[in-house]
């Protein structure tokens, strides 16, 4: 059955309304009527072909919250009417070492992305959440227990939430740890909220003077405007962990210099152009690490959603109609979003 979606037919074309089809519900499938979908910077990188390998037509969207409308005969964890989420993955091989450990994002045979991933479904690659409905293997569907009125603000947890939660947990962020979050956008604002909720001392790094007060309100203990060298120097050699969410190429040296001996700078931003090669002596002389992290596994995504429901954590959002997506992208490129755009999927019906 045809459903309405929004996507692009080429990297240099604006997003437009299109009809797409979803597969019939298989034995292990969950069919979801999408209520909200967050707008991630990865959507923009992909649809504009800033990373290699975008397949067109491209329907982005991997921060999906909706309601189950049908389940296959072998599905027991979900039933019609349940409120559920789908994040960045819709499938993986389910038998490699990484899948066995619940780290499907590192599937050794390649996970299937919610968009731009390989599939037998038409048109031969996955189409994401800027659409009215999606059909997903039940192992990649998350339970949502936040109250109804928070559901739009829950959507960004499915990518921005888990992408910051996973490294914060992996590097044991908690009480007694000094943690930096660089770039206060969609990912970064969730990083601040989550690191604060985990009990760390949180320092937000922003290039936007105007976000200073906001960052404190989000839960930061201190804010540094990273363009100000004096403010940066005051934190030299003091961080256990810094999570860098910046979406553009920049020098990492200003941040590695802030790490303690044995500290880690973890990158999650995936800029179009590579960062300049870092100063290796700054790493060698203090045994500092530069690391990376990719979204998170299904089990830890559920853990994060449950933690957020328990602690009343959601994203700070600005709701948009799908017809406003190009303006939203322009504003995201200017770091002018507080702090995540979320599409009201009901607007898709307008075409
Ligand atoms: P976003 O909302 O646009 O936030 C990015 C932030 O980076 C901006 O708000 C801004 O923060 C900062 N920034 C932007 N331009 C800058 C510049 N020229 N110099 C310094 N800082 C700048 O994007 P997002 O959705 O959070 O995504 C961030 C990145 O993570 C993207 O590259 C995205 O593709 C990637 N991502 C990775 C994963 C993963 O699994 N690793 C998952 C999702 C997304 P300030 O205004 O505070 O400076
Ligand atoms: Zn994302």
């Amino acid at each position: 059955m045809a459903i309405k979606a929004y996507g692009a037919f080429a990297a240099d074309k604006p997003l437009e309304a299109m009809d797409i089809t979803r597969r019939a519900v298989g034995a292990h499938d969950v069919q979801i009527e999408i209520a909200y979908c967050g707008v991630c910077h990865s959507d923009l990188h992909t649809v504009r072909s800033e990373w290699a390998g975008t397949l067109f037509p491209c329907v982005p969207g991997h921060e999906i919250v909706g309601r189950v409308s049908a389940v296959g005969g072998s599905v027991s964890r979900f039933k019609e009417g349940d409120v559920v989420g789908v994040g960045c993955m819709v499938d993986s091989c389910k038998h490699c070492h990484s899948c066995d450990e619940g780290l499907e994002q590192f599937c050794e045979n390649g996970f299937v992305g919610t968009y731009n991933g390989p599939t037998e479904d038409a048109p031969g690659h996955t189409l994401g959440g800027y659409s009215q409905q999606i059909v997903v293997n039940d192992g990649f569907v998350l339970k949502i227990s936040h109250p109804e009125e928070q559901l739009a603000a829950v959507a960004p947890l499915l990518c921005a939430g888990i992408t910051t939660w996973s490294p914060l947990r992996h590097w044991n962020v908690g009480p007694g740890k000094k943690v930096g979050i660089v770039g206060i956008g969609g990912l970064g604002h969730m990083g601040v909220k989550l690191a604060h909720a985990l009990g760390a001392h949180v320092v937000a790094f922003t290039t936007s003077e105007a976000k200073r007060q906001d960052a404190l309100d989000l839960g930061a203990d201190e804010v540094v405007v990273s363009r100000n060298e004096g403010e940066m120097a005051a934190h030299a050699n003091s961080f256990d962990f810094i999570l860098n969410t910046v979406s553009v190429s920049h020098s990492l040296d200003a941040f590695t210099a802030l790490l303690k001996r044995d500290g880690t700078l973890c990158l999650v931003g995936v800029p179009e152009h590579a960062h300049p090669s870092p100063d290796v002596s700054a790493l060698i002389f203090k045994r500092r690490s530069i690391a990376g992290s990719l979204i998170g596994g299904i089990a830890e995504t559920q853990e994060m959603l449950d933690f957020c429901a328990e602690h009343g954590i959601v994203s700070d959002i600005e709701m948009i109609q799908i017809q406003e997506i190009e303006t939203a992208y322009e504003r995201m490129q200017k770091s002018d979003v507080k702090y995540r755009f979320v599409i009201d999927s009901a607007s898709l019906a307008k075409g």
Side-chain angles (χ1 to χ4, degrees):
M1 192 191 66
I3 57 156
K4 293 190 184 305
Y6 237 71
F9 287 102
D12 59 356
K13 295 266 188 329
L15 275 70
E16 58 184 285
M18 56 175 74
D19 287 337
I20 63 168
T21 54
R22 295 296 188 189
R23 67 173 179 256
V25 180
H28 295 279
D29 282 338
V30 177
Q31 184 189 61
I32 302 159
E33 303 308 310
I34 300 174
Y36 304 105
C37 184
V39 178
C40 179
H41 208 115
S42 302
D43 300 353
L44 178 55
H45 289 306
T46 305
V47 81
R48 299 279 195 256
S49 231
E50 291 177 7
W51 301 332
T54 301
L55 302 165
F56 291 95
C58 175
V59 175
H62 58 204
E63 294 185 336
I64 298 167
V65 167
R67 213 171 281 278
V68 174
S69 49
V71 296
S74 303
V75 176
S76 55
R77 288 194 311 130
F78 301 99
K79 60 178 190 318
E80 211 179 316
D82 286 353
V83 176
V84 295
V86 177
C88 304
M89 301 183 283
V90 289
D91 214 346
S92 70
C93 85
K94 306 184 193 78
H95 56 69
C96 70
H97 293 304
S98 295
C99 286
D100 282 349
E101 289 177 35
L103 297 170
E104 299 86 353
Q105 75 274 34
F106 301 118
C107 174
E108 282 136 56
N109 298 301
F111 72 84
V112 180
T114 303
Y115 55 81
N116 208 49
T119 178
E120 287 173 9
D121 300 354
H125 59 272
T126 53
L127 302 172
Y130 297 5
S131 58
Q132 291 177 311
Q133 185 200 83
I134 194 165
V135 177
V136 180
N137 181 285
D138 66 341
F140 290 79
V141 179
L142 288 308
K143 290 178 192 278
I144 307 282
S145 51
H146 284 75
E148 182 79 34
E149 64 274 15
Q150 290 185 331
L151 294 183
V154 167
L157 301 182
L158 276 306
C159 174
I162 185 57
T163 302
T164 50
W165 174 263
S166 182
L168 292 172
R169 295 283 286 157
H170 182 74
W171 275 277
N172 296 312
V173 163
K177 295 283 176 71
K178 183 173 174 183
V179 174
I181 306 289
V182 186
I184 309 305
L187 267 56
H189 95 289
M190 286 312 308
V192 170
K193 288 187 187 215
L194 294 171
H196 171 72
L198 288 167
H201 181 88
V202 183
V203 182
F205 291 91
T206 180
T207 57
S208 312
E209 183 69 47
K211 293 182 184 172
R212 210 184 262 278
Q213 184 56 46
D214 279 9
L216 295 172
D217 296 342
L218 291 166
D221 297 285
E222 301 176 64
V223 182
V224 171
V225 173
S226 52
R227 298 189 197 280
N228 181 337
E229 279 179 29
E231 271 186 72
M232 292 289 278
H235 289 273
N237 303 313
S238 67
F239 282 88
D240 296 286
F241 184 69
I242 301 178
L243 184 64
N244 186 331
T245 75
V246 173
S247 52
V248 298
S249 168
H250 63 285
S251 169
L252 304 178
D253 296 341
F255 296 104
T256 51
L258 305 189
L259 295 170
K260 277 181 186 166
R261 191 202 71 218
D262 291 327
T264 299
L265 171 67
C266 176
L267 306 176
V268 289
V270 189
E272 178 181 4
H273 304 289
H275 296 305
S277 181
D279 169 12
V280 295
S281 59
L283 304 176
I284 291 166
F285 281 86
K286 290 205 180 290
R287 203 163 55 187
R288 293 159 167 152
S289 304
I290 296 179
S293 187
L294 176 64
I295 45 177
I298 295 299
E300 59 182 337
T301 304
Q302 191 64 61
E303 175 194 67
M304 176 276 309
L305 286 166
D306 295 346
F307 177 91
C308 288
E310 202 177 303
H311 291 79
I313 298 172
V314 290
S315 176
D316 286 21
I317 65 161
E318 191 176 325
M319 189 97 89
I320 61 164
Q321 308 283 296
I322 190 67
Q323 293 77 11
E324 300 171 296
I325 189 69
E326 288 290 334
T327 315
Y329 282 167
E330 279 164 32
R331 285 185 51 198
M332 187 157 67
Q333 242 154 353
K334 290 188 277 187
S335 304
D336 174 28
V337 41
K338 293 188 169 179
Y339 278 88
R340 197 58 137 185
F341 291 115
V342 171
I343 298 159
D344 178 356
S345 308
S347 59
L348 281 156
K350 289 187 247 165

